[in-house]
């Protein structure tokens, strides 16, 4: 199970990703996703978070994503790293609102969610 947290700003997402890394979470366990690719790139470039790419989705899905709508591509990426279809659909709506998502595949990091 993956943990997902929403952020309003690039700075908040960067700080959270780096905090996870500081707690020992591997880089390949934390992913950033935003509707705007430049926001995703900025967070990934300034943090220990990764973008969801062909390594995570496989070459077939990465190829298909080139021909999908933005929403379909985002949902596909979320499903490939462990979110259910209903979760991916819900979070895609969150992305439509301009939020930034950090997805942590290390489900022992419940404090990441503020619990």
């Amino acid at each position: 199970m993956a943990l997902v947290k929403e952020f309003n700003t690039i700075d908040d997402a960067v700080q959270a990703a780096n905090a996870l890394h500081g707690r020992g979470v591997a880089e390949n366990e934390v992913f950033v996703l935003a509707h705007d690719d430049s926001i995703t790139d900025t967070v990934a470039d300034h943090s220990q978070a990764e973008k969801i790419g062909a390594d995570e989705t496989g070459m077939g899905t990465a190829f298909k994503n080139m021909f999908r709508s933005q929403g379909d591509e985002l949902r596909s990426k979320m499903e490939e790293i462990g979110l259910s279809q209903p979760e991916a659909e819900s979070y895609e709506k969150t992305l439509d609102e301009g939020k930034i998502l950090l997805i942590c595949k290390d489900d022992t990091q419940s404090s990441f969610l503020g619990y």
Side-chain angles (χ1 to χ4, degrees), residues 18-79:
N18 289 337
L20 284 169
H21 181 68
R23 289 197 299 247
V25 178
E27 287 181 36
N28 64 352
E29 294 284 314
V30 180
F31 298 91
V32 60
L33 193 60
H35 217 293
D36 183 334
D37 289 338
S38 68
I39 293 174
T40 300
D41 291 342
T42 300
V43 174
D45 290 345
H46 292 93
S47 74
Q48 301 297 327
E50 298 286 324
K51 296 186 286 186
I52 302 169
D55 288 344
E56 292 75 36
T57 64
M59 289 303 294
T61 299
F63 181 75
K64 289 176 189 175
N65 282 345
M66 293 189 320
F67 301 100
R68 291 181 170 154
S69 71
Q70 178 75 1
D72 289 344
E73 177 184 351
L74 293 169
R75 285 188 299 277
S76 171
K77 286 181 175 184
M78 287 186 273
E79 289 175 35

Side-chain angles (χ1 to χ4, degrees), residues 11 14 17 41 55 57 83-84:
D11 289 340
V14 167
D41 291 342
D55 288 344
T57 64
L83 298 181
S84 68

